[in-house]
């Protein structure tokens, strides 16, 4: 124990004595680590932005889509809905949503416009990361409203004249029996030129939308753990085929990761660039370490004459390098955090991200681990050189 | 100067029996630097070794200090045959029992006098390691540098630097002090003062002192005198 503490004390003392030279040498390492950590951090953030976008478009991994199509006969809307809801309950799926796309005639100030409307359950908001810009996503109590709750996109809201949400604005559904719906939230447009779009709860659709508007039976989305997605697909398929022998049952993974992680190649390229940056830093450090050891040959000889064993000399040179690069690594990681967390950088990399991820711990650990590994590698060669120093020659050096 | 005589009954600290050191030259020939050297050193001994440049003085000193090994012959250190000691054991024994003083002082640059004297204690264990600063300060006080301990070598005179080197050599209370031309880089007056100090401190501690020198005055301070010529050690001759 004393030996380890003594070696640590010695290493720290060496760093203190040669602080200017070491500082200059370590600037390269600190910058390399900062570059590596920043690339990993920004890569992670960009990936998160892409993942969130994909999850909004196609659902989180693993999302199972369940669809039934009539084959030759008729499929009754209500029985399909009941069967789908029973499936979610039977397989204890925590997040499931009915999904039915239709056109609903909403009354805008400039006239009635058939508007693309999605019938969903409350879980859909979480499953699809629905990004709200005003108001809130459907709550449990919205099912009990007399006037059906509706969430509209920004284009819809704008066309309505941007009424103040605090005044509980309503919108008319223009059909044989007009219905007044209450706007509870505004969703971000999917793209800049998006058309008006609305969402209503499945619990309300039978009293909101005229039956003739519903040409297709409802589908369902289930958010399930990835490891059971495959057996669940098989089981649900078999289950529904048994219930609807004349229908075509289609159960499949519809999320972006259905055929593997599409971001893996990008991640690999980013990692490769980061590794290259670090390698350059390591070569620079190794170069400086070699020069340093040659400069310290006499000192090593003197230490050996005082009783320093070759193991201690090896450990000391290694430790100096590792301690120094670890300190440089900490500085590099702090710099990287400052860069990655800067609002301007976040705006450039992850614009429109609904949930900004925290600085990835993984990037910080990779940065620190890489710095330490570089220190160990860059210290290894000089340490071997130091051990091979002939004491007698070194003292006279 | 009153000095204690070594007790013949004591176990020799270092014993060389027909020691030879041969080096291989670049043209594949061999050169005997030391030939059949016999020497016995006991606690409290004070030896001087004189000889021309290239006579093998430093090689003998390196062998005595466990920095080098004989090519032939037998050497015992504290009763142990050196040939059977591992490199690590020799390093540990060297740290615990041998103190080196070099002609060019060999102080570590950039460190204060105190840090230089503390350096050997970094390789000690237990109390010596944990109390290294106090021990180093006490030793610097003993060599008269209590008020200069925070100075770095380049701010010290030659005599002061050699006193720091003496303090560093003695801080682990070695049994054997090996001084290689300790006054070689000093003027006569400073050299005498440094030797008086070294002699006094060695005497106080009861350590054996081996001095390699060209200076007959310095050699005259020793109790036993040796001369190296052509790799052979001759007893009792002062003139170099």
């Amino acid at each position: 124990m004393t030996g380890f503490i003594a070696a640590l004390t010695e290493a720290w003392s060496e760093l203190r004595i040669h602080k200017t030279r070491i500082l200059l040498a370590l600037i390269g390492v600190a910058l390399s680590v900062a570059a590596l950590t920043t690339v990993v951090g920004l890569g992670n953030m960009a990936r998160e932005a892409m993942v969130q976008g994909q999850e909004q478009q196609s659902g989180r991994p693993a999302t199972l889509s369940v669809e039934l199509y009539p084959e030759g006969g008729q499929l009754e809307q209500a029985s399909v809905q009941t069967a789908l809801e029973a499936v979610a309950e039977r397989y204890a799926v925590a997040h499931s949503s009915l999904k039915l796309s239709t056109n609903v005639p909403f009354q805008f100030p400039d006239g009635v416009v058939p508007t693309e409307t999605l019938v969903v359950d409350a879980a859909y908001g979480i499953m699809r990361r629905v990004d709200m810009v005003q108001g809130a996503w459907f709550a449990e109590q919205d099912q009990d409203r007399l006037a059906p709750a509706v969430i509209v996109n920004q284009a819809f809201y704008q066309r309505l004249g941007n009424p103040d949400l605090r005044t509980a604005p309503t919108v008319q559904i223009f059909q044989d029996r007009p219905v007044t719906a209450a706007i509870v939230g505004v969703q971000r447009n999917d793209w800049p030129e998006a058309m008006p779009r609305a969402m209503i709860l499945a619990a309300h659709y039978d009293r909101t939308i005229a039956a003739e508007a519903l040409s297709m039976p409802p589908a369902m989305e289930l958010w399930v753990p990835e490891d059971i997605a495959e057996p669940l697909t098989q089981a649900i398929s078999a289950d529904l085929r048994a219930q609807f022998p004349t229908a075509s049952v289609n159960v499949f993974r519809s999320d972006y990761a259905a055929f593997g992680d599409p971001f893996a190649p990008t991640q690999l390229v980013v990692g490769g660039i980061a590794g290259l940056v670090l390698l350059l830093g390591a070569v620079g450090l190794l170069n400086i370490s070699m020069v340093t050891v040659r400069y310290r040959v006499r000192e090593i000889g003197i230490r050996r004459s005082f009783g320093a064993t070759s193991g201690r000399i090896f450990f000391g040179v290694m430790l100096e390098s590792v301690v120094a690069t670890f300190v440089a690594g900490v500085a590099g990681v702090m710099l990287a955090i400052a860069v990655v967390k800067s609002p301007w950088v976040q705006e450039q990399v992850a614009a429109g991200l609904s949930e900004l991820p925290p600085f990835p711990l993984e990037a910080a650990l990779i940065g620190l681990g890489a710095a330490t590994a570089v220190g160990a590698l860059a210290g290894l060669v000089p340490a071997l050189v130091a051990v091979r120093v002939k004491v007698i020659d070194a003292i006279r050096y | 100067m009153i000095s204690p005589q070594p007790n013949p009954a004591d176990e020799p600290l270092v014993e060389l029996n027909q020691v030879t050191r041969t080096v291989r030259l670049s043209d594949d020939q061999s050169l005997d630097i030391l030939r059949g050297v016999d020497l016995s050193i006991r606690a409290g001994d004070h030896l001087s070794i004189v000889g021309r440049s290239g006579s093998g003085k430093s090689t003998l000193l390196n062998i005595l200090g466990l920095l080098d090994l004989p090519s032939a012959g037998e050497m015992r250190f504290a009763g142990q045959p050196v040939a059977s000691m591992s490199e690590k054991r020799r390093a540990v024994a060297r740290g615990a029992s041998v103190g080196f003083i070099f002609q060019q002082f060999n102080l570590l640059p950039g460190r204060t006098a105190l840090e230089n004297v503390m350096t050997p204690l970094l390789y000690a264990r237990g109390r010596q390691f944990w109390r290294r600063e106090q021990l180093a300060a006490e030793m610097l006080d003993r060599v008269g540098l209590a008020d200069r301990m925070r100075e770095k070598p380049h701010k010290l005179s030659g005599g002061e630097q050699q006193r720091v080197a003496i303090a560093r050599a003695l801080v682990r209370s070695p049994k054997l002090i090996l001084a290689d031309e300790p006054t070689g880089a000093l003027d006569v007056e400073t050299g005498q003062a440094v030797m008086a100090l070294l002699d006094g401190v060695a005497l106080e501690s009861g350590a054996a002192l081996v001095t390699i020198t060209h200076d007959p005055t310095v050699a005259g301070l020793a109790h036993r005198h040796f001369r190296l010529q052509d790799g052979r050690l001759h007893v009792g001759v002062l003139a170099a």
Side-chain angles (χ1 to χ4, degrees), chain B residues 29-240:
Chain B
Q29 289 194 325
S30 59
L31 174 69
D32 292 336
I33 299 176
L34 296 177
R35 299 173 193 195
V37 172
D38 292 321
L39 183 64
S40 179
I41 304 169
R42 293 166 193 275
D45 251 352
H46 186 166
L47 284 71
S48 71
I49 300 170
V50 295
R52 291 176 195 279
S53 295
S55 60
K57 300 189 300 289
S58 295
T59 303
L60 178 58
L61 203 75
N62 290 332
I63 287 177
L64 292 174
L66 303 174
L67 288 175
D68 200 0
L69 288 171
S71 307
E74 191 196 15
M75 177 183 175
R76 286 177 170 270
F77 190 92
Q80 296 288 312
V82 169
S84 66
M85 290 167 80
S86 65
E87 190 272 336
K88 186 180 176 182
R89 235 179 110 197
R90 276 187 282 127
V92 171
R94 183 165 61 241
S97 307
V98 183
F100 281 93
I101 297 163
F102 305 100
Q103 181 181 358
Q104 294 301 330
F105 323 133
N106 280 347
L107 297 182
L108 300 176
R111 282 81 163 176
T112 63
L114 184 68
E115 286 168 336
N116 262 284
V117 178
M118 280 163 64
T119 304
L121 296 168
L122 284 172
Y123 309 109
R125 289 187 180 268
R127 196 169 156 271
Q128 278 200 331
F129 171 75
W130 295 108
R131 291 184 58 232
R132 59 192 182 282
E133 188 164 351
Q134 188 192 338
L135 291 172
E138 283 170 9
M139 189 50 74
L140 280 167
D141 190 25
R142 274 178 76 185
V143 299
L145 288 175
D147 56 339
R148 306 282 281 157
M149 58 177 76
R150 303 286 171 190
E151 297 292 349
K152 291 184 177 167
H154 68 275
K155 291 276 183 70
L156 300 171
S157 68
E160 286 173 329
Q161 288 189 48
Q162 194 58 300
R163 280 194 278 161
V164 173
I166 291 171
R168 186 178 62 177
L170 299 177
V171 75
R172 287 188 72 181
S173 308
K175 294 177 185 137
L176 176 64
I177 303 163
L178 300 173
D180 188 359
E181 301 276 10
T183 60
L186 303 173
D187 61 63
V188 175
E189 201 177 324
T190 312
Q192 283 174 349
V194 163
M195 275 315 294
L197 173 73
L198 179 58
D199 208 32
V201 177
L203 191 68
E204 264 179 55
S205 64
L209 173 62
V210 178
T211 311
I212 281 182
T213 183
H214 280 108
D215 186 342
T217 317
V218 172
L221 292 169
H223 314 136
R224 296 163 66 199
H225 310 285
F226 295 87
R227 183 175 171 225
L228 258 174
Q229 191 169 23
D230 300 327
R232 295 191 184 280
L233 192 65
H234 302 277
V235 184
V237 187
L238 256 182

Side-chain angles (χ1 to χ4, degrees), chain A residues 27-108:
Chain A
I27 284 174
V29 176
L31 288 177
S32 296
V33 169
L36 170 82
T37 313
T38 305
V39 165
V40 173
L42 288 181
N44 199 295
M45 190 181 284
R47 184 182 194 280
E48 190 64 24
M50 288 189 279
V51 165
Q52 282 190 23
Q54 290 289 335
E55 286 180 349
Q56 283 172 351
Q57 293 298 315
S58 61
R60 301 182 190 232
T63 295
L64 300 184
S65 284
V66 185
E67 296 171 353
L68 281 89
Y69 300 102
E71 267 186 355
Q74 280 288 316
L75 272 179
E76 198 190 326
Q77 301 276 352
S79 60
V80 171
Q81 183 176 343
T82 308
L84 291 175
E85 284 167 354
V87 160
E89 201 178 326
R90 188 173 313 125
Y91 295 99
V93 179
H95 295 88
S96 64
S97 171
L98 218 59
K99 193 180 167 198
L100 180 59
S101 188
T102 182
N103 277 314
V104 174
F106 282 101
Q107 175 73 65
F108 288 95

Side-chain angles (χ1 to χ4, degrees), chain A residues 150 157 160 162-171 180-184 186:
Chain A
V150 60
Y157 196 55
L160 270 185
N162 291 319
D164 189 341
L165 261 194
R166 288 170 299 182
T167 62
T170 57
V171 62
T180 301
I183 299 172
V184 295
V186 180

